[in-house]
Every structure is written in C-alpha cells, then in structure tokens.
Amino acid sequence: MRGQGLRRRARADRAGELPDVTYRVQRLDPRTGKAQWTYRAATGVQDVYLPSSDPPVLAVAAGDSVVTDLVSLDDRGKHLSTVSLAGYEAKCASRYFSSPLFGVVENCDGMVVGRTPAFVMSKENITDEQPSGWIVAFDLRTGRTQGKFEGCWLQMVQPLRMSGDELLIHRRSGALSPASVVSWNPRTDKETPVLLFILPEDEEAELSDPERSDIVVENGNVFFARRTVVRDEEYPKDPVLLAVGYGSAGLKH
C-alpha cells in the first residue's frame, strides 16, 4: 500500500538514453542491499513508477511519457496481470513535472493500491447531467474490474488511501452540496459519509486539485496543503493560505 512498502525496499533503475532506455525493478534486502528479485520492463517503456512496493505494482508509460498500464507482480517479482489505463488518470508524474528523479516511488495521486485491488480515478467527464468522474477497482491478480464508484455531476472524486478494506474518497463540492470524504466498500458497494465540509471559496480549486495540493486523512480529520505558495505581488504582506484542516465537532456529554 502507499506509504508502507519500503520495509522490503524496491527500486526502479533505468539504463541508456531515450529512445533506447530500459528499466528494471528490484526488491532489495534492507539489511544487505542485495536484490531478492528483479523484474525487467518490456522494451519500449519510456517511464516506470512504483505506486506500491507492497504489493509490488508498476505504472508504466509504454511508447509515451503518459502512464498507459498498471503491471502487478507477485512476491517473487513474477508478472500477475496488466491493466490498461486508457480513460484513467493515475497522475504519477504530475507533482514533479515528469522528472525521473523525484516522485517515482509511491507517488501516484490518481490511484491507491490495497491488498488485492488497485483503485484508479477516471479522466474528467464533461457530459451534462452525468457523473464528472468515477473510481474503478481492479483485481491485481486478474486485472478484472471489481467495482465502480461514481461521483456526481460537477463533482470529481479522488481516491485518498485505504482504511482497512475500504477506500477513503474525496468528493469535491458541487452547486448544491458541500465537499466530503466518504468511505467505500467495493465488495458491497456501500458508501459511508465520513466528513462534510466547505473549503474557502477562492482557494477550493487549487486545494482540491491533486496535481497542486496534498490531501491527507488521519484520525477522522482531513487536511489540504498546497505544494507551492506564491505571494500576492500587489499585496506582498498579506498572509497566504498554506494549509487547512477539518474534523468532526463530536459530542461532549
């Protein structure tokens, strides 16, 4: 899962120069640094990201710099399945301007990897009166879909992280409803509200954008933090919003 897999380290190396670059992914013993297994990406792959090291899942850009497929491996580095990401937004290189030196490991903001499924957000749908986006669960063993969570019209949805076997999702605010964090169980298709909140109106577009801000859910709270801060040139001494958090008011007896 994201944020866990480096107990048994995995790394992605590349050799050569484009267009002849080749990649290999290795799981390393943290005590000795020796490779426990090596997986070599197919010829023609231009970029490799590691959204999860445990279980090992690769996001690969085949023939272009945009991620095109997910490749899942077993504990010995053997290929399990390949999932086409046509129509989806893994967002693996968005935060670091496609730099090969940063954001390669466990930084794909458009997807979350669980124990057996991977959850990937769709590209934005601009058709009137239809969901603006959705999240699909893919079985890492077979590559087949296991479920689909639909957003609402004018309300994009983004996977945040796992909570047990359920997925935490951020749903942006809409014309008639506030923003929210919900929990979704792909087996039962049950949606459970976690938090409802209203982001500052002038800041919402940037804070809700996974390419420009970090969104973190911890202990029943949700936090939004910009990755870059720019002062107002006209009013340089005015404060600039860096982060904002929301939590349940709770009940005191």
Side-chain angles (χ1 to χ4, degrees), residues 131-192:
S132 292
W134 48 87
I135 297 168
V136 174
F138 294 99
D139 188 326
L140 293 173
R141 294 164 296 192
T142 65
R144 298 174 182 171
T145 58
Q146 289 185 312
K148 180 180 181 182
F149 180 92
E150 290 192 342
C152 303
W153 183 46
L154 301 179
Q155 286 187 282
M156 285 289 290
V157 288
Q158 176 195 354
L160 297 177
R161 69 170 179 84
M162 300 301 297
S163 178
D165 291 328
E166 299 190 352
L167 178 69
L168 295 179
I169 297 170
H170 170 233
R171 177 188 283 134
R172 296 189 188 184
S173 64
L176 301 176
S177 58
S180 62
V181 172
V182 301
S183 177
W184 176 54
N185 187 318
R187 295 192 308 275
T188 63
D189 199 29
K190 181 181 179 181
E191 173 188 341
T192 304

Side-chain angles (χ1 to χ4, degrees), residues 203 226 229-232 235-242:
E203 316 286 349
R226 285 171 163 165
V229 179
V230 180
R231 72 178 182 178
D232 188 324
Y235 303 101
K237 294 185 179 181
D238 283 3
V240 178
L241 180 64
L242 174 62

Side-chain angles (χ1 to χ4, degrees), residues 189-210:
D189 199 29
K190 181 181 179 181
E191 173 188 341
T192 304
V194 177
L195 284 173
L196 298 175
F197 50 91
I198 299 176
L199 287 166
E201 184 175 356
D202 294 340
E203 316 286 349
E204 181 172 13
E206 182 174 349
L207 291 175
S208 295
D209 186 348

Side-chain angles (χ1 to χ4, degrees), residues 4-153:
Q4 288 191 8
L6 296 186
R7 289 173 297 177
R8 292 175 291 175
R9 293 193 301 160
R11 72 180 184 188
D13 296 329
R14 80 174 186 176
E17 297 295 333
L18 294 175
D20 299 321
V21 63
T22 58
Y23 287 88
R24 63 179 182 177
V25 177
Q26 295 180 322
R27 169 162 283 171
L28 306 181
D29 187 315
R31 294 169 296 181
T32 66
K34 294 182 179 180
Q36 297 176 330
W37 52 253
T38 298
Y39 175 83
R40 289 175 171 79
T43 302
V45 168
Q46 300 299 311
D47 277 307
V48 173
Y49 301 90
L50 197 69
S52 171
S53 53
D54 189 11
V57 177
L58 283 59
V60 302
D64 200 347
S65 59
V66 178
V67 169
T68 56
D69 301 277
L70 288 184
V71 177
S72 64
L73 311 177
D74 64 16
D75 286 337
R76 296 173 295 174
K78 302 298 183 182
H79 177 269
L80 285 177
S81 67
T82 298
V83 176
S84 171
L85 292 186
Y88 296 93
E89 288 275 10
K91 295 186 180 294
C92 294
S94 302
R95 59 167 63 182
Y96 295 112
F97 306 102
S98 300
S99 169
L101 302 177
F102 302 99
V104 173
V105 178
E106 301 190 351
N107 275 330
C108 288
D109 295 310
M111 64 175 293
V112 169
V113 178
R115 280 192 290 249
T116 55
F119 301 88
V120 190
M121 66 183 291
S122 71
K123 293 183 178 180
E124 186 173 6
N125 177 29
I126 59 174
T127 306
D128 287 346
E129 306 297 333
Q130 291 188 11
S132 292
W134 48 87
I135 297 168
V136 174
F138 294 99
D139 188 326
L140 293 173
R141 294 164 296 192
T142 65
R144 298 174 182 171
T145 58
Q146 289 185 312
K148 180 180 181 182
F149 180 92
E150 290 192 342
C152 303
W153 183 46

